[in-house]
Amino acid sequence: MAIRAQKTEKSLVTAVLTALVCLMALRPAAAAAPPSPDLSVPCSLSVVSQTSDGTVIPGGRASVYRVASWKAVGTDYVWAYTAPYAACPIPTDGLEDNRNAVSLASFTAGASVTGLEADFGSGGRASFTGLTAGLYLIVQTTPAPEYEPFSPFLLALPFYSTADGVYLNAVTAAPKLDPAVGPDPPAPPGTPGPPGTPDPPDPTGTPDPPDPTGTPDPPDPTGTPDPPDPTGTPDPPDPTGTPDPPGPTGTSDPPDPPEGTAPEGGDPPPKSEQASDPGLPQTGQLWWPVPALGLGGIAMFTLSGIVRKKGRDD
């Protein structure tokens, strides 16, 4: 029993040691803690204005605003708002998140906070030097010609480089620009065509042929009286009171033709002036079906009488 208990104890110790070795082998190596920033060294910032394909765009102006300062809490650092931003409602925890940049830019404009300004020169670079360590808001206050301003962003100075594991006091930022979207240009005016050439006068002097459509000619400017009215409507009385002279033959005017007929040598009157049948309204119906249907009815009546009589004889 003692030997068996001793073996069991050794097996247990071996299992525990094996488990500890495995845990140590699987445990990831602890990342080295970042060094503390040197807040006494002045910082510098260069902002390069360029497009997404790397084309440098000159022109415009940028401003930087020191939003918060570094504040040591034990071995860690937190953000503390500077005096111009003391009333800012955004929490300082995670303040460096760029999702806060637009809200901070709105607060900056509303509070009329004064920042440092620099123009983008011919190389598309705006430089700021002698900056105190802290969290900065970068805004393009004047866009480059034909481009939209870049979006506001936040940057902590000194800047911790995760690739190098050190804090950088000289930093270069390169926000991207998008072309400005303006209204559509107006369409160019149309080119007027050449003026029309008038028809040359007729050298033969031949008058124009009569109008085949029957349109009456305009009134004669020579004063010749109009022909008699085919509708029989009397002329209005002469306002001067002078009676018309008698005809050259001493005969009276011929009677007006009956309504609905055309005068001799003239066009028929319009349909609106033609006399209509007073018996039936003009509905467009045809007259020939009336007698045909009447005769058909008589024939059917006669045929039915013959058939009935033959049936009685049978």
Side-chain angles (χ1 to χ4, degrees), residues 27 46 55 65 173 297:
R27 186 185 63 178
S46 293
T55 303
Y65 305 90

Side-chain angles (χ1 to χ4, degrees), residues 86-140:
C88 184
I90 302 175
T92 56
D93 186 19
L95 186 62
E96 71 279 3
D97 192 333
N98 265 319
R99 290 176 293 184
N100 296 322
V102 175
S103 299
L104 285 171
S106 178
F107 179 88
T108 300
S112 300
V113 181
T114 302
L116 300 176
E117 295 185 341
D119 294 329
F120 290 98
S122 57
R125 182 183 295 267
S127 299
F128 303 89
T129 58
L131 301 178
T132 304
L135 181 64
Y136 283 84
L137 171 68
I138 299 90
V139 179
Q140 188 171 15

Side-chain angles (χ1 to χ4, degrees), residues 234-244:
D235 296 331
D238 190 356
T240 61
T242 305
D244 294 333

Side-chain angles (χ1 to χ4, degrees), residues 5-313:
Q6 187 176 4
K7 288 182 179 181
T8 303
E9 185 178 353
K10 288 182 179 180
S11 300
L12 182 60
V13 171
T14 302
V16 171
L17 291 176
T18 303
L20 290 176
V21 171
C22 291
L23 290 175
M24 293 179 64
L26 296 175
R27 186 185 63 178
S36 298
D38 188 354
L39 305 180
S40 62
V41 179
C43 301
S44 63
L45 171 64
S46 293
V47 182
V48 179
S49 176
Q50 63 182 20
T51 60
S52 57
D53 60 359
T55 303
V56 176
I57 305 299
R61 174 175 293 185
S63 298
V64 296
Y65 305 90
R66 188 169 179 260
V67 176
S69 60
W70 297 82
K71 180 180 179 181
V73 178
T75 58
D76 200 1
Y77 287 90
V78 296
W79 297 117
Y81 276 127
T82 57
Y85 292 88
C88 184
I90 302 175
T92 56
D93 186 19
L95 186 62
E96 71 279 3
D97 192 333
N98 265 319
R99 290 176 293 184
N100 296 322
V102 175
S103 299
L104 285 171
S106 178
F107 179 88
T108 300
S112 300
V113 181
T114 302
L116 300 176
E117 295 185 341
D119 294 329
F120 290 98
S122 57
R125 182 183 295 267
S127 299
F128 303 89
T129 58
L131 301 178
T132 304
L135 181 64
Y136 283 84
L137 171 68
I138 299 90
V139 179
Q140 188 171 15
T141 53
T142 303
E146 300 182 0
Y147 283 88
E148 299 286 346
F150 58 74
S151 300
F153 63 97
L154 295 166
L155 187 65
L157 295 177
F159 177 76
Y160 180 70
S161 173
T162 55
D164 301 328
V166 295
Y167 279 95
L168 303 177
N169 292 85
V171 180
T172 299
K176 302 298 185 291
L177 299 183
D178 294 324
V181 180
D184 296 334
T191 305
T197 305
D199 296 334
D202 188 359
T204 64
T206 305
D208 295 335
D211 188 358
T213 62
T215 304
D217 296 332
D220 188 357
T222 62
T224 305
D226 295 334
D229 187 358
T231 63
T233 305
D235 296 331
D238 190 356
T240 61
T242 305
D244 294 333
T249 61
T251 60
S252 61
D253 295 334
D256 294 334
E259 293 184 359
T261 61
E264 183 179 357
D267 296 333
K271 292 183 179 180
S272 61
E273 297 180 1
Q274 295 180 5
S276 60
D277 187 358
L280 291 175
Q282 297 297 323
T283 60
Q285 68 180 9
L286 300 178
W287 282 102
W288 67 264
V290 176
L293 293 175
L295 293 176
I298 294 172
M300 293 297 293
F301 181 78
T302 304
L303 182 61
S304 63
I306 294 171
V307 172
R308 187 179 302 174
K309 182 178 179 181
K310 185 178 179 181
R312 285 198 299 265
D313 293 342

